[in-house]
Amino acid sequence: MKEVYTLADLRDWPAATAGEAPPLRLSVFGDPVAHSRSPQMHNPALAAAGLEARYCRLHIRPEELAEALRLLPKAGFIGTNVTIPHKSAVMELVDEVEPYAREAGAVNTVVVEGDRLRGFNTDGPGLVRAIRSEFSVDIRDLRVMVLGAGGGAGRAIAVQCARERCERLVLVNRTFEKAAALATELAPHFHGPRLLGPTARLEALPMEPGPLASALENTDLVINATSCGMKRGDPPVLPASLLQPHLMVYDTIYTAHRTPLLADAEAVGARAANGLSMLLHQGA
Ligand code: NAP
């Protein structure tokens, strides 16, 4: 199996993959894509499950995306993942987008059904399972604060929390307008007969210590979906003084074992986990 295949390979897949066994029937499309670790995650899982298929990388440029998707059925694919920069463009190129992916504004998984292509997003369901496995709790029972709700991952997480009808959802973003716009979009999920406490069930806040301090009093789970903490030397996304022992802190960043946020959370006695479990469950 090659490290990376291209559109030219996909146009004549039997020739490009002659002799490959099990056959290559799953992939990730990206540009760039060589860095993707998805094959290392999925191929051992396929082998362990005894499935006659393997997973490969396809370097597909934006202008090649439509043709590449339409070649999948004839090439015998079961489906493909799509990563940067295709997650939003793919929505207009498949035959059907499931409702959660439509609301999240991104598709990361395309399933081939006959000649039809169906788009899904697995980030939200992956996050729900990750929270259950890390903290033995369900999102729907929690008061959740999403940091970075205006980014791609943050939006997908916030939409999932709203669809789960969690107890309370606080959307925080450095560029406040994005959080405010998302709160307006998600408001319909929070209409209904749940008991109202002293705080709003849905609100948007700027990323400023004052408003965050009081909101954290009424928060169970803080999810960092910003990219702050990915690079060595990044400051903590929240001042350490805001963290409290009652919190569960989940950092979606998985490249660092312990981001500054997680280190600060553990130092005050809060429970903390990094994004590896979300990566695993969205992939599964
Ligand atoms: P993105 O769309 O570029 O969004 C980046 C977000 O981070 C925006 O909300 C941005 O705020 C915010 N931000 C960036 N620098 C900041 C700073 N210094 N202070 C405060 N906020 C800052 O990126 P993405 O694709 O959503 O990815 C975000 C993170 O999620 C990454 O760390 C990625 O590793 C992680 N992720 C993890 C998984 C998993 O499976 N574990 C899956 C997907 C993503 P503005 O709107 O103000 O720019």
Side-chain angles (χ1 to χ4, degrees):
M1 178 161 87
K2 289 204 282 191
E3 284 295 308
V4 176
Y5 291 87
T6 63
L7 179 64
D9 293 321
L10 196 55
R11 285 183 182 136
D12 192 357
W13 200 237
T17 61
E20 292 288 352
L24 308 185
R25 300 183 64 202
L26 291 157
S27 66
V28 53
F29 287 9
D31 179 24
V33 77
H35 66 282
S36 170
R37 302 260 184 92
S38 292
Q40 286 99 311
M41 173 159 63
H42 290 293
N43 282 324
L46 290 164
L51 295 172
E52 277 294 297
R54 277 187 300 157
Y55 186 109
C56 63
R57 299 182 191 89
L58 267 156
H59 183 200
I60 302 296
R61 297 184 174 85
E63 64 275 19
E64 299 173 335
L65 183 61
E67 181 185 351
L69 286 165
R70 288 298 151 191
L71 287 169
L72 292 178
K74 196 167 140 267
F77 274 66
I78 300 163
T80 189
N81 290 128
V82 295
T83 187
I84 290 168
H86 303 313
K87 285 185 176 186
S88 138
V90 78
M91 292 178 63
E92 306 311 319
L93 300 173
V94 295
D95 300 296
E96 188 186 330
V97 176
E98 54 99 29
Y100 165 64
R102 173 76 60 200
E103 204 175 357
V107 158
N108 70 357
T109 303
V110 176
V111 174
V112 178
E113 286 179 0
D115 280 338
R116 286 177 62 79
L117 302 175
R118 294 180 66 199
F120 296 85
N121 186 316
T122 65
D123 280 341
L127 184 270
V128 169
R129 290 188 194 178
I131 295 301
R132 199 176 295 137
S133 71
E134 297 285 3
F135 303 122
S136 306
V137 288
D138 278 325
I139 288 269
R140 65 184 53 164
D141 298 324
L142 300 177
R143 299 169 299 172
V144 184
M145 177 184 285
V146 181
L147 307 174
R155 182 186 170 92
I157 288 169
V159 168
Q160 183 72 34
C161 291
R163 293 174 76 92
E164 299 276 323
R165 295 172 60 76
C166 65
E167 287 290 332
R168 171 168 144 80
L169 182 59
V170 179
L171 306 175
V172 181
N173 205 59
R174 180 177 61 179
T175 311
F176 171 69
E177 293 70 25
K178 294 188 200 169
L182 183 58
T184 304
E185 272 184 60
L186 297 182
H189 289 287
F190 290 90
H191 295 153
R194 277 217 181 179
L195 280 182
L196 289 178
T199 49
R201 284 200 59 205
L202 173 67
E203 66 179 328
L205 292 178
M207 203 166 245
E208 290 164 13
L212 292 185
S214 53
L216 283 164
E217 299 282 343
N218 294 296
T219 295
D220 306 303
L221 172 67
V222 179
I223 300 173
N224 177 36
T226 76
S227 43
C228 186
M230 278 182 94
K231 293 195 298 290
R232 197 181 282 271
D234 275 355
V237 67
L238 286 181
S241 58
L242 295 186
L243 295 169
Q244 302 173 26
H246 76 269
L247 292 170
M248 291 169 268
V249 179
Y250 190 80
D251 199 329
T252 65
I253 294 172
Y254 53 83
T255 43
H257 173 60
R258 215 155 160 262
T259 58
L261 173 70
L262 295 181
D264 290 341
E266 284 171 5
V268 296
R271 287 187 281 165
N274 84 354
L276 206 54
S277 45
M278 177 177 166
L279 181 72
L280 173 74
H281 287 294
Q282 61 82 25

